Amino acid sequence: MSTRDDLVEATAELLRERGYSATSPARILERAGAGQGSMYHHFHGKADLARAAMEHVAAVMTEAVESEDDPSLPALDRIRAFLAREWDPLLGCRIGRLVQDAEVVGDDDLRGIADRYFTHLEDWIADVLEVGRAAGELRGDADTRAAAAMVVAVVQGGFVLARAHQDVATQQAAIRGASLALGALRAREH
Amino acid sequence: MSTRDDLVEATAELLRERGYSATSPARILERAGAGQGSMYHHFHGKADLARAAMEHVAAVMTEAVESEDDPSLPALDRIRAFLAREWDPLLGCRIGRLVQDAEVVGDDDLRGIADRYFTHLEDWIADVLEVGRAAGELRGDADTRAAAAMVVAVVQGGFVLARAHQDVATQQAAIRGASLALGALRAREH
DNA sequence: GTCTATAACCGGATAGAC
DNA sequence: GTCTATCCGGTTATAGAC
């Protein structure tokens, strides 16, 4: 693996463990086993390196969600499988966490990565639900965009609660609550 | 108002605007119109001042939620009124935001304030739903703890999405989705 | 109780050798 | 392409005068 890749990898790890502001170039270099010259040769600076790392992480996470999906299942089962994924709540979402950092939100390049990541996820869920509606599985008047936003928000909020409590149980409870509540979208049985 | 109160007030504002790590004592002093000596006279340091500010904010927010509640309404209406409160999503939750900061989570005094704040909120919502179940409004098998965790998580996750998108609409959609989905808890009509 | 001066340290970035 | 030495600015904390 190239020094450049080592730097991106080390940055991604530290972003996950400590967030953006609290991650210093010095620590990145230490973990990557590289000198300062390498970093400033391959990247313009800390923000540029973080941008590369965030883009890598967002691509990996998006790919993971879609590769685990089984489109032959009923829509609600697909969404419930998404909710039931293995999250790592104590570390927080690798993307969502960063967006609470003023430096990240103040940099349109960095925030844009999170923006597009969540937009893609919300669209994907809404599309799955639309398929379910077209198949008659869901109510004709189901608000699929609202439901998709709710699903993504429950996972993200679960991370917040897990970190506050230092305990994974509350995120699991929130996800269970959302899974159960999604039953409200189901078309009435005849 | 005393210098001490000015310091707590200025800290609470900056915590909201910039988070914990990015808030320096120098900025607090500038905003409070005080010198460094005052701060170190009244508090042990930055963490101690933040603790006072977070405790103040958590108390104010808890009080606001409970004072806006109308216990004579049906349970689902009370929870939906909570969800429909005026949030300020672009700034993030004054408590939940801080918990993504490694320095806050690493300090049990600071994290403990967030921990207790959310525990209290989850308990309050679960209690309201229990009242609704006892009154026959909700299904007998409703998982009130899961539903309470979901409600708090949707609000917190909505803050995350609002910041990522720099747009309040997604939080509103998530809240609408949760409000609608809570209908799954309602007892069947006979 | 409040002030200013200063210490000791760490952040991000640059310079220039190899 | 990678290294080390160095700069400048900002951070938290302390000292000691008023």
Side-chain angles (χ1 to χ4, degrees), chain B residues 4-157:
Chain B
R4 199 196 134 95
D5 290 344
D6 289 340
L7 286 167
V8 171
E9 184 68 24
T11 304
E13 285 175 19
L14 285 164
L15 248 29
R16 163 164 233 185
E17 293 167 23
R18 310 175 68 92
Y20 179 75
S21 292
T23 294
S24 68
R27 277 190 97 92
I28 293 170
L29 297 170
E30 182 190 13
R31 183 162 311 193
Q36 286 194 303
S38 300
M39 171 178 148
Y40 285 100
H41 173 76
H42 291 290
F43 302 95
H44 296 139
K46 176 182 170 177
D48 188 36
L49 181 45
R51 189 196 45 68
M54 280 182 71
E55 254 160 18
H56 172 69
V57 166
V60 166
M61 289 170 71
T62 298
E63 162 63 20
V65 165
E66 296 183 358
S67 72
E68 289 172 22
D69 178 43
D70 178 353
S72 69
L73 294 175
L76 280 187
D77 289 352
R78 290 169 71 189
I79 301 308
R80 284 171 172 152
F82 167 78
L83 282 167
R85 289 187 75 219
E86 282 279 321
W87 306 100
D88 197 345
L90 294 187
L91 281 174
C93 171
R94 278 186 280 182
I95 298 296
R97 226 201 112 162
L98 300 174
V99 116
Q100 299 293 29
D101 187 318
E103 279 188 79
V104 172
V105 171
D107 179 324
D108 278 347
D109 280 354
L110 297 181
R111 187 187 59 80
I113 298 168
D115 189 2
R116 290 189 293 278
Y117 170 73
F118 285 120
T119 296
H120 184 85
L121 198 50
E122 291 157 29
D123 287 350
W124 180 79
I125 294 172
D127 287 349
V128 169
L129 293 174
E130 282 298 332
V131 170
R133 167 152 65 191
E137 178 193 350
L138 304 187
R139 301 164 57 101
D141 64 352
D143 187 336
T144 54
R145 294 226 58 91
M150 178 204 72
V151 166
V152 178
V154 159
V155 173
Q156 291 299 313

Side-chain angles (χ1 to χ4, degrees), chain A residues 75-91:
Chain A
L76 279 187
D77 289 352
R78 291 169 71 189
I79 301 307
R80 283 171 174 151
F82 166 79
L83 282 166
R85 290 187 74 219
E86 281 280 318
W87 307 100
D88 196 346
L90 296 186
L91 282 174

Side-chain angles (χ1 to χ4, degrees), chain A residues 24-25 36 40 46:
Chain A
S24 67
Q36 285 194 303
Y40 286 100
K46 175 182 171 177

